[in-house]
């Protein structure tokens, strides 16, 4: 198959692109930045997908794309708290999705969309969240809003124009290709980086319990979805793709410290504004429809992630520098550490 992957220079895009190549597919990437980890594994167009482009069926923004069979739309501003501080980026996410949908509509291409567990909000009402319980009245953050908007566009295109889709709701994907310094705001690589350097770390949310998904499990699920959607076997479904188990973020931090063999200096603060503090996915639909079978529990995933991180760092010693967190924060933004208000009305 020929697969167009947007966001192909990101964490999931890089892992997915390599996996699809291994499986014998052709990959065409689109991203606004160069891939920080792999060179020329597949052709990649550097393009900003968030522009306001006139309709053009050959590709987005008047650029002629190669013929493809299916689109995987991963490109997004993917950091929750960054979008709370900079809500215009949430709008850009919606514009990117709109552009990709218009392209898919013009070429009659099926699409896989990367949504998030964020669409469930922070409601603490369920043991395991199945796909039916998402409720936009609980939109937790502007990032969540951008994913809900993306899903809504997808469903409306299916109804109005016969779009074929799969929506995947990911949750805390971690593992290789998530450590680029400029954007190191993902929590597990940030902890690894800091603990390796003997720096203190902060866990926002003592009891924060999340469903951490090792990237190989995530990519395995997407690859299964691509095959199922392309063959017409599974069409127009929304599916949780996670490990299916809750773990405290504090435990993840401790596992990283243990793996690195360091005494961690961990402080605990209240969760940040807009964050989900409890989520455990019900992945039975993915199991039933796609034979999805996540295999990497958190302790094993952290073992592999830390091993990869150390190997990468050994080959790139210049990256052993202090991280300026929230580099994209501008004056006037909500300060980092802004406390969550009382959750009235939940
Ligand atoms: N990683 C997770 O834990 C997780 C969880 C839930 C949902 N998701 C979603 O999955 C998708 C992939 O996530 P990821 O972890 O690989 O994120 P990532 O940030 O590593 O990758 C996203 C990529 O999109 C690109 N991009 C951003 N704006 C763009 C633009 N205007 N034009 C072109 N490219 C642009 C970025 O350059 C980046 O390479 C995202 O949509 C994200 O919201 C991820």
């Amino acid at each position: 198959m020929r697969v167009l992957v947007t966001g192909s220079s990101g964490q999931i895009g890089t892992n997915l692109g390599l996996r699809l190549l291994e499986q014998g597919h052709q990959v065409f990437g689109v991203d606004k930045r160069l891939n920080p980890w792999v060179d020329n594994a597949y052709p990649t167009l550097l393009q900003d997908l968030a522009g306001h482009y006139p309709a053009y069926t050959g590709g987005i923004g008047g650029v002629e794309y190669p013929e493809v069979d299916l689109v995987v739309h991963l490109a997004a501003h993917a950091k929750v708290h960054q979008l709370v501080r900079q809500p215009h980026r949430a709008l850009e996410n919606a514009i990117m999705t709109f552009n990709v949908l218009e392209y898919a509509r013009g070429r009659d291409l099926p699409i896989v969309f990367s949504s998030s567990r964020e669409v469930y909000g922070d409601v603490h009402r369920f043991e395991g969240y199945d796909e039916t319980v998402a409720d936009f009245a609980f939109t937790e953050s502007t990032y969540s809003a951008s994913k809900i908007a993306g899903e809504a566009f997808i469903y409306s295109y299916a109804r109005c124009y016969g779009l074929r889709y799969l929506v995947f709701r990911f949750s805390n994907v971690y593992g290789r290709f998530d450590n680029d310094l400029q954007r190191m705001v993902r929590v597990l690589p940030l902890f690894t980086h800091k603990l390796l350097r003997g720096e203190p770390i902060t866990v926002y949310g003592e009891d924060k319990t999340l469903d951490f998904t090792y990237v190989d499990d995530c990519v395995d699920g997407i690859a299964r979805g691509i095959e199922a959607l392309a063959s017409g076997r599974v069409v127009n479904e929304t599916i949780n793709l996670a490990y299916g188990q809750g773990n405290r973020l504090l435990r993840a931090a401790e596992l990283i410290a243990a793996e690195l063999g360091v005494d961690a200096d961990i402080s605990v603060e209240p969760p940040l504004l807009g964050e989900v503090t409890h989520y455990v996915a019900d992945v039975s639909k993915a199991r039933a429809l796609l034979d999805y079978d996540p295999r990497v529990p958190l302790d094993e995933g952290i073992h592999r992630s830390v091993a990869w991180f150390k190997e990468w760092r050994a080959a790139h010693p210049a990256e052993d520098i202090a991280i300026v967190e929230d580099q994209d924060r501008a004056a006037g933004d909500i300060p980092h550490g802004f406390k969550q208000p009382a959750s009235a009305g939940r």
Side-chain angles (χ1 to χ4, degrees), residues 91 93-99 101 113 146-161 163 165 167:
L91 181 60
N93 281 354
I95 295 168
M96 283 184 236
T97 302
F98 168 75
N99 283 332
L101 278 172
F113 176 63
S146 78
K147 290 300 179 189
I148 290 169
E151 286 199 18
F153 268 121
I154 300 265
Y155 305 145
S156 67
Y157 270 59
R159 293 213 173 82
C160 298
Y161 314 118
L163 178 85
Y165 72 83
V167 168

Side-chain angles (χ1 to χ4, degrees), residues 63-132:
V63 179
E64 196 71 29
Y65 290 178
E67 285 291 327
V68 295
D69 303 302
L70 184 140
V71 179
V72 180
H73 176 41
L74 301 172
H77 301 296
K79 313 295 176 339
V80 176
H81 204 248
Q82 179 192 65
L83 270 62
V84 173
R85 297 190 309 268
Q86 302 181 333
H88 70 277
R89 290 179 187 260
L91 181 60
E92 287 184 4
N93 281 354
I95 295 168
M96 283 184 236
T97 302
F98 168 75
N99 283 332
V100 173
L101 278 172
E102 277 295 275
Y103 163 68
R105 174 162 86 111
R107 310 294 286 187
D108 192 24
L109 294 170
I111 180 169
V112 172
F113 176 63
S114 53
S115 187
S116 166
R117 62 106 207 274
E118 294 288 326
V119 301
Y120 295 108
D122 194 28
V123 292
H124 295 239
R125 284 187 298 177
F126 312 105
E127 279 303 312
Y129 290 70
D130 78 51
E131 289 79 356
T132 60

Side-chain angles (χ1 to χ4, degrees), residues 57-344:
T57 49
I60 295 166
V63 179
E64 196 71 29
Y65 290 178
E67 285 291 327
V68 295
D69 303 302
L70 184 140
V71 179
V72 180
H73 176 41
L74 301 172
H77 301 296
K79 313 295 176 339
V80 176
H81 204 248
Q82 179 192 65
L83 270 62
V84 173
R85 297 190 309 268
Q86 302 181 333
H88 70 277
R89 290 179 187 260
L91 181 60
E92 287 184 4
N93 281 354
I95 295 168
M96 283 184 236
T97 302
F98 168 75
N99 283 332
V100 173
L101 278 172
E102 277 295 275
Y103 163 68
R105 174 162 86 111
R107 310 294 286 187
D108 192 24
L109 294 170
I111 180 169
V112 172
F113 176 63
S114 53
S115 187
S116 166
R117 62 106 207 274
E118 294 288 326
V119 301
Y120 295 108
D122 194 28
V123 292
H124 295 239
R125 284 187 298 177
F126 312 105
E127 279 303 312
Y129 290 70
D130 78 51
E131 289 79 356
T132 60
V133 302
D135 178 352
F136 69 81
F138 293 93
T139 308
E140 201 63 35
S141 69
T142 45
Y143 174 78
S144 320
S146 78
K147 290 300 179 189
I148 290 169
E151 286 199 18
F153 268 121
I154 300 265
Y155 305 145
S156 67
Y157 270 59
R159 293 213 173 82
C160 298
Y161 314 118
L163 178 85
R164 291 158 293 153
Y165 72 83
L166 287 184
V167 168
F168 283 122
R169 293 178 179 155
F170 304 143
S171 172
N172 284 85
V173 183
Y174 69 100
R176 74 181 90 72
F177 308 136
D178 60 355
N179 67 339
D180 50 326
L181 289 184
Q182 295 72 25
R183 309 180 320 136
M184 183 103 63
V185 286
R186 285 256 161 88
V187 68
L188 300 190
L190 180 66
F191 285 173
T192 311
H193 177 87
K194 290 192 156 201
L195 291 173
L196 252 184
R197 292 173 42 79
E199 293 171 358
I201 59 172
T202 306
V203 169
Y204 293 100
E206 186 166 13
D207 296 321
K208 189 186 281 170
T209 298
L210 300 170
D211 198 333
F212 295 96
T213 315
Y214 187 64
V215 70
D216 285 353
D217 284 333
C218 173
V219 160
D220 181 63
I222 303 172
R224 286 170 187 271
I226 289 172
E227 304 268 0
L229 176 62
S231 69
R233 193 171 58 76
V234 183
V235 178
N236 296 9
E237 296 285 354
T238 296
I239 303 172
N240 290 336
L241 214 54
Y243 184 69
Q245 191 181 76
N247 274 286
R248 289 168 79 207
L249 178 58
L250 198 52
R251 171 161 188 263
E254 288 164 357
L255 284 171
I256 293 172
E259 201 60 50
L260 292 170
V262 299
D263 278 332
D265 177 357
I266 303 177
S267 56
V268 176
E269 296 277 343
L272 299 178
L273 186 67
E275 286 187 324
V276 167
T277 58
H278 186 273
Y279 174 74
V280 184
D282 177 342
V283 292
S284 49
K285 188 171 178 183
R287 288 185 191 278
L289 291 181
L290 302 174
D291 285 330
Y292 172 65
D293 185 20
R295 288 174 179 255
V296 188
L298 185 66
D299 48 358
E300 171 61 20
I302 284 191
H303 170 70
R304 294 189 200 178
S305 306
V306 169
W308 179 83
F309 195 110
K310 283 164 68 179
E311 197 182 315
W312 178 273
R313 181 56 53 85
H316 303 84
E319 294 185 7
D320 184 9
I321 52 170
I323 293 282
V324 184
E325 282 182 61
D326 300 328
Q327 293 178 67
D328 50 16
R329 198 171 94 200
D333 283 337
I334 297 167
H336 195 67
F338 194 89
K339 303 297 184 288
Q340 187 154 321
S343 48

